[in-house]
Amino acid sequence: MAASGIIVTAGLAEIAAGSIAMGLGGYLAARSDADHYASERERERREVRDKPDIEEREVSEIFEAYGLTPEETEPILKAFRNHPRSWIDFMMRFELGLEKPDPSRALKSAATIGGAYAVGGFVPLVPYVLVPTAGGALPFSIAITLAALLAFGFVKGRFTGAKPVKSAVQTASIGSVAAAAAFAIARAIG
Amino acid sequence: MAASGIIVTAGLAEIAAGSIAMGLGGYLAARSDADHYASERERERREVRDKPDIEEREVSEIFEAYGLTPEETEPILKAFRNHPRSWIDFMMRFELGLEKPDPSRALKSAATIGGAYAVGGFVPLVPYVLVPTAGGALPFSIAITLAALLAFGFVKGRFTGAKPVKSAVQTASIGSVAAAAAFAIARAIG
């Protein structure tokens, strides 16, 4: 029977690599969203200034899709001509579908993703720290991991408006199928 | 020196578990987005029918934020009263910020995420399949993984509008930092 030590070592190495990669990935994704917003806003600002006719037609088209005639859209265009900054904000949101990013989002993203990866990774590993043989730790690891997946799925369902019990069962099922596939492949090859 | 076999076995098990977990997770996330859209649309439909006064005030508030007066918004409200379906669509997009989800998105998401995870996972593993000792395979694994991260970052930069070379260096750096952390932890404990 293998010792738990090698599993703890491999598990901690995987947690370190995964939380760093996912956390930094989340940080850079949030940063590039912010860069993208800034560069699109600059482009839109120039278009409103240099090609107002084209931009007015774009506003009309947005409202035409909701059944407004050009006459009904005219007061909006008039208001926008007097408030170019509002016009740019409107195009960002309603033409491009871009929300102004929260400047602290990159760091929050990194901490949330990296932290969640580390916490989730420790759950199946704890029994291997406490029980010296891998065979002895395995049933405990399966039990607390299933319990953690059920609890996480339940809470996630509550927050996202899905049925909590259904969400709990789905989350635990995904984890079980993934673990079973890993186990089957390792057994088939090993 | 350890044989490559155990690394290939562990790697393939990890790829199977990861691609299933991430693929199914992506599938369910897309499905629950679609459910969320449908339930929010039904709620918005009832509100437009039962509490049109409140909904009209919400439309006015949306446009007030862009500098339009209640008088300038009136033609829009009039058009919406005659086209309740357009009104509901407008509220979904501009009050709630929700886009109608593509019905095939769940399956596409699952295939993209699961497939990408599997392809990415095979890259560092290939040398261990071809070289019998782990020590002999390691330098090749590092080299092709770095090359793959640089290439992926470059292409990603091209598609997202970021500077390709900067994106390539960032992606390779994240992978290197993550791998170095895993290696340092394994060495410190093992």
Side-chain angles (χ1 to χ4, degrees):
Chain A
M1 185 52 58
S4 288
I6 191 168
I7 292 172
V8 173
T9 302
L12 289 177
E14 209 285 324
I15 289 170
S19 56
I20 289 172
M22 302 284 281
L24 285 181
Y27 179 83
L28 288 179
R31 279 282 300 273
S32 57
D33 280 356
D35 291 349
H36 182 61
Y37 185 89
S39 73
E40 287 295 298
R41 196 173 196 291
E42 176 54 26
R43 201 173 55 80
E44 206 62 55
R45 194 185 64 77
R46 267 185 276 113
E47 286 181 4
V48 162
R49 190 191 57 196
D50 300 338
K51 302 168 193 162
D53 299 1
I54 295 175
E55 292 298 299
E56 287 190 12
R57 212 178 312 141
E58 287 178 359
V59 174
S60 298
E61 280 164 12
I62 291 172
F63 288 108
E64 262 169 43
Y66 296 97
L68 270 77
T69 64
E71 293 75 42
E72 290 164 334
T73 314
E74 183 49 36
I76 307 172
L77 294 176
K78 207 181 138 216
F80 281 168
R81 273 179 229 119
N82 295 326
H83 304 92
R85 184 182 287 255
S86 294
W87 192 355
I88 299 164
D89 287 339
F90 179 88
M91 298 310 276
M92 291 304 291
R93 174 98 199 271
F94 296 145
E95 186 201 0
L96 304 176
L98 295 175
E99 304 273 355
K100 191 171 171 54
D102 171 3
S104 65
R105 194 167 73 88
L107 277 178
K108 275 186 213 157
S109 266
T112 312
I113 298 171
Y117 194 100
V119 170
F122 277 119
V123 171
L125 209 57
V126 168
Y128 293 94
V129 176
L130 303 175
V131 181
T133 63
L138 181 62
F140 294 104
S141 180
I142 292 173
I144 66 163
T145 304
L146 265 182
L149 289 171
L150 286 168
F152 176 75
F154 191 89
V155 172
K156 192 185 76 168
R158 274 233 137 128
F159 275 93
T160 57
K163 292 196 185 80
V165 171
K166 187 182 165 194
S167 172
V169 172
Q170 277 181 341
T171 306
S173 302
I174 292 178
S176 304
V177 171
F183 192 82
I185 285 184
R187 170 148 293 184
I189 307 172
Chain B
M1 186 51 60
S4 287
I6 190 167
I7 292 172
V8 174
T9 303
L12 289 176
E14 209 284 327
I15 289 170
S19 57
I20 289 172
M22 302 284 281
L24 285 180
Y27 180 82
L28 289 178
R31 280 282 301 274
S32 55
D33 280 355
D35 291 350
H36 182 62
Y37 186 90
S39 74
E40 288 295 297
R41 197 175 196 291
E42 176 55 26
R43 199 172 57 78
E44 207 60 57
R45 196 185 64 75
R46 269 185 274 113
E47 286 181 2
V48 163
R49 190 190 59 195
D50 301 337
K51 302 168 191 163
D53 299 1
I54 295 174
E55 292 299 300
E56 287 189 13
R57 211 177 313 142
E58 287 178 358
V59 174
S60 297
E61 280 164 13
I62 291 171
F63 287 108
E64 263 171 43
Y66 294 97
L68 269 75
T69 64
E71 293 74 47
E72 288 164 336
T73 315
E74 184 49 36
I76 307 173
L77 294 177
K78 206 180 139 213
F80 281 169
R81 273 180 228 120
N82 295 327
H83 304 93
R85 184 183 287 256
S86 294
W87 193 353
I88 299 163
D89 287 338
F90 178 87
M91 298 310 275
M92 291 304 292
R93 176 98 200 272
F94 296 146
E95 186 201 1
L96 303 176
L98 295 174
E99 304 272 355
K100 191 170 171 55
D102 171 3
S104 66
R105 193 168 73 89
L107 278 177
K108 274 186 216 158
S109 264
T112 311
I113 298 171
Y117 194 99
V119 170
F122 276 119
V123 171
L125 209 56
V126 167
Y128 293 95
V129 176
L130 303 174
V131 181
T133 62
L138 181 62
F140 294 105
S141 180
I142 292 172
I144 64 162
T145 304
L146 265 182
L149 289 171
L150 286 168
F152 176 75
F154 191 89
V155 173
K156 191 185 76 167
R158 274 230 137 128
F159 275 93
T160 58
K163 293 196 184 80
V165 172
K166 187 181 165 194
S167 171
V169 172
Q170 277 182 341
T171 307
S173 302
I174 292 178
S176 304
V177 171
F183 192 82
I185 284 184
R187 170 147 292 187
I189 307 172

